[in-house]
């Protein structure tokens, strides 16, 4: 009876007769929605950035026409989630989001982005001719 020997070393599998093969660590994903604050309409092309709290690595995604996004292949851990879109004020999730291996985490509430406010400053002097 032959014995099959499998050794895991630094992310690589050594399989007799097959040589080296990189093992893929299980990853997770995060999905959610982005809408406009006024009217709660889906917001397409919003950029979603997840920053891993330990390593500061960024993982990005973008919303579709329905305002939905899914960022995949996330190593397990805690992430800061930020969303921004052109002409809208960016939003950051207040709590760290935990991603688990082999699971998809779905955010319960959509991100609501409001229109950026623009301001004008007028400078000058007023003279009274009297």
């Amino acid at each position: 009876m032959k014995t099959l020997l499998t050794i895991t070393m630094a992310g690589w599998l050594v399989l007799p007769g097959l040589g080296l093969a990189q093992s893929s660590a299980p990853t997770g994903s995060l999905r959610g929605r982005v809408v406009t604050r006024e009217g709660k309409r889906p917001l397409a092309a919003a950029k979603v950035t997840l920053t891993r709290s330990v390593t500061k690595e960024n993982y990005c995604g973008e919303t579709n026409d329905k305002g939905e996004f899914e960022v995949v292949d996330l190593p397990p851990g805690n992430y800061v989630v930020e969303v921004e879109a052109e002409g809208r004020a960016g939003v950051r999730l207040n709590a760290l989001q935990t991603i688990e291996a082999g699971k998809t985490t779905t955010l319960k509430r959509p991100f609501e982005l409001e229109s950026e406010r623009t301001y004008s400053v007028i400078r000058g002097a007023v003279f009274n001719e009297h």
Side-chain angles (χ1 to χ4, degrees):
M1 178 176 206
K2 290 186 176 180
T3 304
L4 178 64
L5 178 63
T6 303
I7 303 170
T8 303
M9 296 176 8
W12 291 86
L13 289 177
V14 180
L15 300 173
L18 297 178
L20 295 177
Q22 186 173 9
S23 67
S24 58
T27 60
S29 62
L30 177 74
R31 80 170 48 137
R33 289 187 63 229
V34 181
V35 297
T36 61
R37 176 160 287 168
E38 60 290 334
K40 310 291 188 246
R41 291 182 308 277
L43 192 56
K47 181 181 177 186
V48 181
T49 304
L50 281 70
T51 305
R52 196 167 180 203
S53 62
V54 174
T55 62
K56 306 301 182 211
E57 292 172 282
N58 289 330
Y59 299 85
C60 298
E62 189 172 285
T63 59
N64 62 20
D65 291 341
K66 296 178 183 177
E68 300 167 338
F69 69 88
E70 183 171 11
V71 182
V72 297
D73 295 328
L74 299 169
N78 295 316
Y79 291 82
V80 173
V81 183
E82 297 175 289
V83 179
E84 57 186 13
E86 189 173 331
R88 302 266 167 191
V91 174
R92 181 180 192 170
L93 198 60
N94 289 333
L96 289 175
Q97 193 62 50
T98 301
I99 301 300
E100 297 180 49
K103 293 186 179 180
T104 297
T105 301
T106 302
L107 298 174
K108 294 176 184 171
R109 294 182 51 195
F111 285 94
E112 296 180 4
L113 273 59
E114 66 181 322
S115 295
E116 285 184 339
R117 298 176 187 197
T118 57
Y119 297 95
S120 298
V121 176
I122 300 173
R123 294 185 184 180
V126 177
F127 296 95
N128 189 349
E129 293 184 18
H130 294 127

